[in-house]
Amino acid sequence: INTPRLGLQELNVEGNAQLKHLYIHEAPRLETLNLSGCKSLEYIALGSNKAIKSLIAKDCEMQSNVMEQLLRDFTPVITSSANFRGAGAFRKNYSTLLDLRGNTVDWGNRNVASKIRLLLTNNWIVKWDNNPPYDIVPPSMYAFYVESLIDT
């Protein structure tokens, strides 16, 4: 999508097994991007789309360099609040999600690991299949919400 899409809020290319390149440069209102099942992805450029709240890339079988491209350009400014007090303090409402299940996260890739750690620090739900080494992302950063995940 090389032309500006100023009103685009959701893009779902789920299951597009032949999609090799994805360029989204100007979609300032894009909140949801679903790449699930896009197993041929070789290059991803998200441009300056900072409104994304949900990035779903399940079962893409991404190579480490493609996941690095995806996360490199993924510069979210939306975060979920963790400043709850009172009776519901442990029942946070998460509105931000990065779903990488079905991909092997290369925790040895510092760019991938640091971006995921940054998202966790900013109260994003990040789903993956292979747990990180505790020295890269300690369980205390993600274990607290295991039972209260957004059901997607």
Side-chain angles (χ1 to χ4, degrees):
I1 303 175
N2 287 326
T3 57
R5 304 283 186 214
L6 302 179
L8 183 66
Q9 292 182 321
E10 182 176 341
L11 179 61
N12 186 343
V13 293
E14 180 177 4
N16 189 336
Q18 294 158 356
L19 181 66
K20 290 186 176 200
H21 302 273
L22 180 64
Y23 304 92
I24 306 172
H25 290 286
E26 288 185 61
R29 292 191 178 109
L30 183 64
E31 292 183 359
T32 303
L33 176 59
N34 188 343
L35 304 171
S36 297
C38 296
K39 297 181 184 217
S40 298
L41 283 171
E42 295 174 359
Y43 187 81
I44 301 171
L46 294 182
S48 61
N49 301 305
K50 297 183 183 341
I52 296 175
K53 293 181 182 178
S54 181
L55 178 55
I56 304 164
K58 294 189 321 189
D59 302 317
C60 291
E61 300 173 5
M62 279 187 222
Q63 298 295 320
S64 181
N65 65 319
V66 176
M67 188 176 294
E68 183 177 345
Q69 292 168 6
L70 173 69
L71 296 176
R72 175 199 64 212
D73 290 344
F74 182 49
T75 54
V77 295
I78 307 294
T79 61
S80 288
S81 177
N83 296 323
F84 290 103
R85 298 181 192 275
F90 296 104
R91 294 193 179 125
K92 300 176 187 177
N93 294 319
Y94 292 92
S95 60
T96 50
L97 170 69
L98 172 63
D99 194 343
L100 297 173
R101 291 175 295 170
N103 300 286
T104 301
V105 177
D106 179 5
W107 295 107
N109 183 326
R110 294 177 60 91
N111 294 327
V112 169
S114 65
K115 181 60 75 105
I116 291 174
R117 186 179 170 105
L118 172 75
L119 293 171
L120 288 168
T121 302
N122 286 293
N123 297 310
W124 275 68
I125 290 178
V126 182
K127 296 181 179 182
W128 57 71
D129 290 330
N130 58 316
N131 287 335
Y134 69 91
D135 57 332
I136 294 177
V137 180
S140 60
M141 290 186 75
Y142 61 86
F144 68 92
Y145 62 70
V146 171
E147 295 300 322
S148 64
L149 293 174
I150 294 174
D151 191 21
T152 56

